[in-house]
């Protein structure tokens, strides 16, 4: 399922500094736009993203790609989906925080899977996604979540890997 022509515009609406490579230093959660409160306040050229079939198709494309052969395009799809979530859900909705964590893990795993060094800008992206995830989940879920799934454990593990990688890359 190829990327729609408007996907990049949607990513750039929410994340103006988003680069074609799919990596960027993302702004703090407080600097991101609030949800589009009405269709009238949402840019007209992005109305396609509000169509009933857009979210399920984008979600399916991201899911299939992330489970089959993830690459930078998968991260772009994940960022597009994150941008859409920021558009349709309240800023601190748990789904946004969980998805930011999922994209961060994916962005970490791609270079590892291809046995290549992680680029500095990829580390910045992962760090930014974790910061967004933590900001949202600390409000929407708090620290006391269930035993079956605890995003804080995954966040801590990924932060440890980032710290280790940053130490290696700076020596």
């Amino acid at each position: 399922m190829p990327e729609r022509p408007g996907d990049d515009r949607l990513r750039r609406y929410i994340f103006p500094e988003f680069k074609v490579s799919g990596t960027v230093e993302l702004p703090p959660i407080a600097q991101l736009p609030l949800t589009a409160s009405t269709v009238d306040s949402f840019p007209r050229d992005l109305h396609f993203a509000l169509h009933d079939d857009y979210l399920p198709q984008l979600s399916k494309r991201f899911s299939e790609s992330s489970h089959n052969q993830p690459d930078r395009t998968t991260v772009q799809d994940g960022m597009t989906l994150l941008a859409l979530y920021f558009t349709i859900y309240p800023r601190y909705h748990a789904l946004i925080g969980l998805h930011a964590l999922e994209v961060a893990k994916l962005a970490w795993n791609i270079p590892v899977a291809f046995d290549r060094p992680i680029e500095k800008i990829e580390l910045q992206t992962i760090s930014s996604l974790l910061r967004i995830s933590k900001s949202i989940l600390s409000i929407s879920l708090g620290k006391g979540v269930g035993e079956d799934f605890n995003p804080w454990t995954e966040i801590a593990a990924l932060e440890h890997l980032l710290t280790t990688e940053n130490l290696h890359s700076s020596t």
Side-chain angles (χ1 to χ4, degrees):
M1 198 175 333
E3 182 172 81
R4 283 187 172 187
D7 288 356
D8 186 55
R9 288 194 317 272
L10 178 61
R11 280 191 302 267
R12 289 180 187 276
Y13 174 68
I14 301 296
F15 310 118
E17 300 299 316
F18 192 83
K19 295 178 179 28
V20 175
S21 66
T23 54
V24 70
E25 176 72 18
L26 300 172
I29 183 92
Q31 293 177 6
L32 291 171
L34 292 172
T35 57
S37 55
T38 66
V39 173
D40 294 337
S41 67
F42 197 59
R44 207 160 191 51
D45 67 327
L46 296 178
H47 280 198
F48 70 88
L50 302 176
H51 195 274
D52 289 349
D53 69 342
Y54 184 71
L55 176 60
Q57 287 177 3
L58 178 60
S59 182
K60 181 179 179 185
R61 186 173 75 212
F62 173 72
S63 179
E64 287 175 354
S65 179
S66 63
H67 290 101
N68 294 331
Q69 187 69 29
D71 58 17
R72 284 187 174 174
T73 303
T74 309
V75 174
Q76 286 182 335
D77 287 344
M79 293 297 293
T80 304
L81 196 53
L82 186 62
L84 185 58
Y85 288 162
F86 270 113
T87 302
I88 60 178
Y89 293 112
R91 180 182 288 178
Y92 290 98
H93 195 285
L95 179 63
I96 298 172
L98 293 171
H99 185 70
L101 174 58
E102 188 66 26
V103 178
K105 292 186 311 185
L106 182 67
W108 173 268
N109 287 333
I110 289 171
V112 171
F114 287 100
D115 197 27
R116 67 166 176 78
I118 298 175
E119 298 170 19
K120 183 176 180 173
I121 197 160
E122 289 172 316
L123 292 172
Q124 291 171 334
T125 299
I126 295 164
S127 179
S128 295
L129 287 164
L130 285 176
R131 187 181 67 245
I132 287 171
S133 180
K134 286 169 53 176
S135 296
I136 293 170
L137 295 178
S138 65
I139 291 172
S140 63
L141 294 181
K143 296 285 183 177
V145 293
E147 293 176 18
D148 294 340
F149 173 69
N150 187 341
W152 297 109
T153 304
E154 294 186 10
I155 289 170
L158 195 48
E159 284 180 327
H160 175 75
L161 291 170
L162 281 174
T163 301
T164 304
E165 185 63 32
N166 279 325
L167 288 174
H168 289 314
S169 63
S170 64
T171 57

